[in-house]
Amino acid sequence: MTAVLRWYMALQYMASPVPDRELKKGSAELMILSLLENRPRHGYEIAQLIELRSRGAIRFNVASLYPLLYRLEKRNWIRGRWVEKAGQRRRRYYRLTASGKNVLSKQRAGWREFVEAINLITGIQRA
Amino acid sequence: MPDFKVEIRARLAEVGLSPVREAEIVEELSQHLEDEYERALSCGASEDEARQQVLEQLNTPDLLRRELKHVEPRGSEDPIALGTERKTNIFADLQQDLRYGLRTLAKNPAFTSIAIIALALAIGANSAIFSVVDAVLLRPLPFKNPNQLVMLWENAAHLGFPRDTPSPANFLDWQKQVTSFTGMAAMSERSFNLTGLGEPERLEGRRVSANLFELLGVTARLGRTFVPEDDKPGTHVVLLSHSLWQRRFGSDPGIIGRALTLNGESYTVIGVMPPFVQLPGFDNRNDQLWVPIAFPAEEAAEHGNHFLEVIARLKPGVTLKQARAEMDTIAARLEQEYPTYNTRRGAVVVPLHEQLVGEIRPALLILLGAVGFVLLIACANVANLLLARAAVRQKEIALRLALGASRSRLTRQFLTESVLLALFGAGLGLLLALAGIRVLRTFIPVTIAQVETITIDGTVLVFTLFVALVTGIAFGLVPAIQGSHFNLNNTLKGGGRDSGGGSKGNRIRSLLVIGEVAVSFVLLIGAGLLIKSFLHLRNLDPGFRSDHLLTMKVNLSEVKYPDRERRAAFFDEVMRHVHELPGVQSAAVAGNLPLTYNGDSMSISVEGVPDPPPGQQPDVVYRATGPGYFATMGIPIVRGRDFTDQDNGDSKDVVIISEKTARQFWPGQDPIGKRLKPGSSTSNSPWREVIGIVKDVRQNDFIASPKRQMYFTYRQLKNIAANALVVRTSIEPVSLAVPVRNAIWSVDKDQTVADIDTMDHIVAQAVARQRFSMLLLGLFAALALLLASIGIYGVMSYSVAQRTREIGIRIALGARRADVLQMTLKQALKLVGVGMILGLAAAFLLTRVLQTLLFGISATDPITFLGISLVLLAVAILASYIPALRATKVDPLVALRGQ
């Protein structure tokens, strides 16, 4: 991911004044949707994966992750379900819905185009 | 682990979430923070440090609140508070109860299925019977202001006819003199031979007064009904029924004005009636057409011939009592004017609805009561199941109580589950009722009015819904109260075995089973009485042999066969052909077969006996027959001989009488050679010599004892026509139907042949009502017994499971398996015994209502009571045997270890 975008994301999720709300929201949604593409996960697992795969660049605050999950659920892009596994307390797992898959593929395409456009304008090479 | 929930809750306070949603979010977020806390600890932070790190995520002012406000809807003003005393929203509560109830039922498929099936059978049976009651008893008749319509009869109770068909002269006198009615109309049954349109067909119809349809408030669908100008002799107009118009004329809209040949005469079609229009009357005839009654002068003056059916409409404001009083006055006046004919003849006014349904009402109401009993038993069964389940759900109930749920809230929750069960049962029950009605229709007697309109309509649906709601509350209330009221401490401590109602729950279960046994006992007794009564009926000797007897109606046209010579010639030729058919043992001409027609009667005088005073002449039922009739019908000739071909218009007039007639008119004498004549001794009718005495035959009615009877030979009758054939066959009678019909058509191709039937079937139809009641009550009693057996089995199984430890101890201390079996069976028999005693007492009281349906036995027949008691006892022992056997197989070690 480009340095510019990394900077944007870090700003958003380190709770500093936000430069572009839509851009941040859009990328966060894309991340969550793509993490749920292969299997259902609970909130903490999603947060951990994002931090791990972004090598700590992006960290989700509980106060912003869960409202985001609830927003996606309200749009019927993901669906949450309480699951009780043997020997564990119950957890709320989220999975991608059919319309969520649809949105994910569109957002991926849109994001790819956006990144290429920025690269062309700024002359930044792909990371 | 720090309690992060408090922190989260504090930040959510102003979001205004519903309590349930708030609880969910708190739980989810606190889990996340707990995971973060543990990760921080695992990374080496101290507890305080870890806690600080975690809480930093919540420290951004208002972030959580702001983000959630965008997403989450605000909770309701009066939030739902499951398990708290906070103000509740009834609709939200109901919604939650419904969701929870559905989930609970889905989680226990075995219990739910059994309960729903039991309820479906019971509620379905109730809906099916109610649909019959609705169509036959409750639905208003399809006439204008039907409660104003009455039927008028002559009261000749002294002759055995308390509701006698009026004579034309009496009807016309009533019509002239009465003021209580806006109008009065007469009807007379008539058959018509439709010819000239392909296959000749005999059609049932009626002659009716011109004002009849106007009186009933029924208008023609096509064309018009009769007007006063039509009601004159010689006016040949006809109204068709809707079904005839469809079937025979292809619903041709151009039918009006068309000419039809009926009984050899031309009639003009003036109208077609709407569907399902049937005129009320003595029986539920399916009229195909109507013509004006148009009394010829001599018929209008006829006092002695009683054959009409009369309908009238009460004037507004006139009561039935007033109308009856006026008719009594008029009858008394006519008695003075015409003492010969009207002595002791009163008038009877019967509301039309009563006329149509009076006879069937007791049977239908009894069936409705019976099916209600079945529902009670099903309720008791499901209540028992719920009680047992409540015991299993103790921990769940205890936790909810501990978390603050009120007992009333829990009771409401359980009741919701019960009502849901009842609604599902009702849904399935309606499907069963639909199928049941289709079957019911095939053996509901056709003589019951409105039978073709029996269906599941709005009224039946409302009834079913009402029954479902009441049932759900009825069987759910006790388990709901029981389930939500028990010792909380004991349950939470795991005191287990004895809670969930404990001895109180057991008492309730036992009482329910006792109730089931009592109710099913009453039903079984009722069914047993009806079965025994029906068997008595079927074993009655009808006076003839009904097997291998083919019958058919052959109504000769008065135009084509105006005199007895032509009629005799026709029948002789037909008999010749029929006797040549293979498989025919004998055949004869008959007039109105037994059990198909009420029978005309006439007063007679006996030679040498002075005429009794007017109005006291003895009345005798008569029939026209031909030679060989008695042999063909299997009616024994007790003395004398049968008619022969030599008994004709040129020989002396003869008559054959029944044993009862012989006993009453010539007691202690030999009637052979004696003479009688129709009317008084001074009438113009010829004296007829008695040539034979035959056994009494159940002519009119299978149940009533035979009336006085006499037979004429059709060859000697000018005015009374024979109208049927009977054929005794050596093979299956139905197989000769077509050959016999063809034999008739070989003599006259335009002759109608109708009502081809076997005598066996006619006899069966004669007891159709009794069979209907017996079969249905028997079915309900069997269902009740099945449900009660399941109830006994269930309670005993539960009791054995509860007493496992006790049984284990007994066996360990030396009790034999046989002792355990005996102990368990004794417990079951105690319940059944108490139930049977209560049932016996109830049966003595209730079976009296069956008396009107019984024949040949009393409502407290001891043999039936004893027999049913033994059956119930045997079934109860069987139902409790398996649990008892299970009890003997208890392993003491396992039972004791289970503590």
Side-chain angles (χ1 to χ4, degrees), chain B residues 414-483:
Chain B
F414 290 140
L415 272 178
T416 307
E417 285 173 29
S418 311
V419 171
L420 272 174
L421 269 178
L423 286 172
F424 284 130
L428 182 59
L430 272 175
L431 293 174
L432 293 175
L434 267 168
I437 283 171
R438 245 179 240 142
V439 173
L440 261 181
R441 272 216 201 99
T442 59
F443 62 90
I444 287 183
V446 294
T447 47
I448 294 177
Q450 317 257 62
V451 73
E452 68 281 344
T453 62
I454 294 172
T455 184
I456 305 277
D457 63 0
T459 313
V460 177
L461 286 174
V462 168
F463 170 82
T464 305
L465 183 64
F466 174 74
V467 164
L469 290 172
V470 168
T471 305
I473 294 171
F475 70 69
L477 196 62
V478 167
I481 295 173
Q482 177 70 20

Side-chain angles (χ1 to χ4, degrees), chain A residues 15 21 43-44 47-48 51 60-63 65-67 70-71 74 82 89-92 94, chain B residues 21 24-25 27-29 31-36 39 57-58 60 63-64 67-68 70-72:
Chain A
R21 197 180 168 83
Y44 183 68
Q48 289 296 290
E51 191 182 335
F60 267 95
N61 187 310
V62 73
L65 169 64
Y66 287 92
Y70 302 151
R71 192 178 305 129
K74 201 173 164 191
W82 287 101
R89 62 193 162 169
R90 72 173 194 163
R91 281 200 177 267
R92 199 139 198 273
Y94 295 91
Chain B
R21 185 59 184 146
E24 271 194 342
I25 293 175
E27 185 179 354
E28 194 173 10
L29 266 58
Q31 282 173 0
H32 186 113
L33 295 180
E34 283 165 12
D35 289 338
E36 288 278 7
R39 191 177 74 138
Q57 295 200 41
L58 295 177
T60 310
L63 176 60
L64 183 61
E67 291 296 321
L68 279 178
H70 287 304
V71 184
E72 293 291 330

Side-chain angles (χ1 to χ4, degrees), chain B residues 656-899:
Chain B
I656 293 176
I657 59 175
S658 68
E659 283 182 303
K660 188 169 185 177
T661 309
R663 271 197 310 272
Q664 292 197 352
F665 292 131
W666 294 279
Q669 302 171 50
D670 181 6
I672 304 292
K674 301 278 197 296
R675 301 203 300 176
L676 56 83
K677 72 150 96 173
S680 72
S681 55
T682 52
S683 74
N684 290 333
S685 314
W687 288 102
R688 293 178 175 275
E689 182 180 317
V690 177
I691 59 166
I693 304 169
V694 294
K695 211 165 154 208
D696 290 321
V697 166
R698 291 183 187 275
Q699 296 276 19
N700 306 359
D701 184 335
F702 207 83
I703 294 174
S705 55
K707 293 193 162 83
R708 290 184 288 252
Q709 294 154 17
M710 61 185 176
Y711 302 88
F712 306 124
T713 169
Y714 69 92
R715 291 170 189 279
Q716 290 185 337
L717 294 174
K718 282 196 191 126
N719 297 323
I720 304 161
N723 62 2
L725 285 189
V726 286
V727 181
R728 182 160 290 283
T729 67
S730 57
I731 54 177
E732 189 56 47
V734 173
S735 59
L736 278 175
V738 169
V740 171
R741 193 186 59 182
N742 289 342
I744 295 168
W745 283 348
S746 69
V747 177
D748 181 353
K749 66 169 177 32
D750 288 330
Q751 179 52 50
T752 58
V753 180
D755 295 348
I756 300 176
D757 205 351
T758 63
M759 205 63 216
D760 272 340
H761 185 248
I762 291 172
V763 169
Q765 284 299 109
V767 295
R769 270 190 201 183
Q770 289 79 4
R771 186 189 304 113
F772 171 66
S773 305
M774 175 204 71
L775 284 176
L776 278 188
L777 198 58
L779 177 68
F780 297 146
L783 187 58
L785 184 62
L786 176 67
L787 289 171
S789 315
I790 293 171
I792 296 169
Y793 172 82
V795 157
M796 290 315 301
S797 295
Y798 187 80
S799 166
V800 162
Q802 272 202 312
R803 296 172 75 182
T804 307
R805 188 166 161 268
E806 175 204 337
I807 294 168
I809 292 172
R810 282 178 187 263
I811 295 174
L813 290 175
R816 295 168 302 158
R817 305 280 170 181
D819 295 331
V820 172
L821 186 72
Q822 199 185 35
M823 175 188 84
T824 319
L825 282 177
K826 240 165 69 176
Q827 185 191 1
L829 288 175
K830 232 192 315 182
L831 290 178
V832 172
V834 174
M836 279 176 65
I837 290 170
L838 288 173
L840 202 64
F844 269 113
L845 294 170
L846 290 174
T847 49
R848 278 160 221 284
V849 307
L850 275 183
Q851 193 61 66
T852 51
L853 302 183
L854 297 177
F855 175 80
I857 62 168
S858 93
T860 50
D861 178 51
I863 298 176
T864 308
F865 274 63
L866 183 65
I868 296 295
S869 306
L870 292 173
V871 165
L872 187 57
L873 212 56
V875 170
I877 291 173
L878 206 66
S880 22
Y881 189 73
I882 297 170
L885 211 60
R886 214 184 293 139
T888 65
K889 293 192 164 63
V890 166
D891 186 333
L893 285 174
V894 171
L896 289 166
R897 223 181 287 141
Q899 174 58 13

Side-chain angles (χ1 to χ4, degrees), chain A residues 40-120:
Chain A
R41 302 180 195 277
H42 55 76
Y44 183 68
E45 194 182 352
I46 294 171
Q48 289 296 290
L49 273 172
I50 289 177
E51 191 182 335
L52 193 68
R53 291 186 188 180
S54 68
R55 296 178 200 159
I58 303 167
R59 256 192 281 123
F60 267 95
N61 187 310
V62 73
S64 33
L65 169 64
Y66 287 92
L68 182 53
L69 285 171
Y70 302 151
R71 192 178 305 129
L72 295 177
E73 199 177 10
K74 201 173 164 191
R75 287 182 201 155
N76 200 32
W77 292 353
I78 65 175
R79 189 164 296 143
R81 198 167 68 97
W82 287 101
V83 176
E84 192 169 343
K85 293 187 179 168
Q88 298 175 20
R89 62 193 162 169
R90 72 173 194 163
R91 281 200 177 267
R92 199 139 198 273
Y93 280 78
Y94 295 91
R95 63 172 182 81
L96 206 59
T97 63
S99 49
K101 280 183 189 150
N102 209 9
V103 167
L104 172 61
S105 95
K106 283 187 186 141
Q107 283 201 359
R108 269 200 183 118
W111 189 254
R112 232 185 328 259
E113 285 168 21
F114 175 72
V115 167
E116 281 171 15
I118 294 290
N119 285 345
L120 287 171

Side-chain angles (χ1 to χ4, degrees), chain B residues 62 222 267 284 397 499 504 560 647 652 659 687 749 868 890:
Chain B
D62 291 342
L222 270 186
Y267 282 76
N284 198 32
I397 298 164
S499 31
K504 190 171 174 202
K560 205 165 181 181
D647 296 312
K652 71 178 169 193
E659 283 182 303
W687 288 102
K749 66 169 177 32
I868 296 295
V890 166

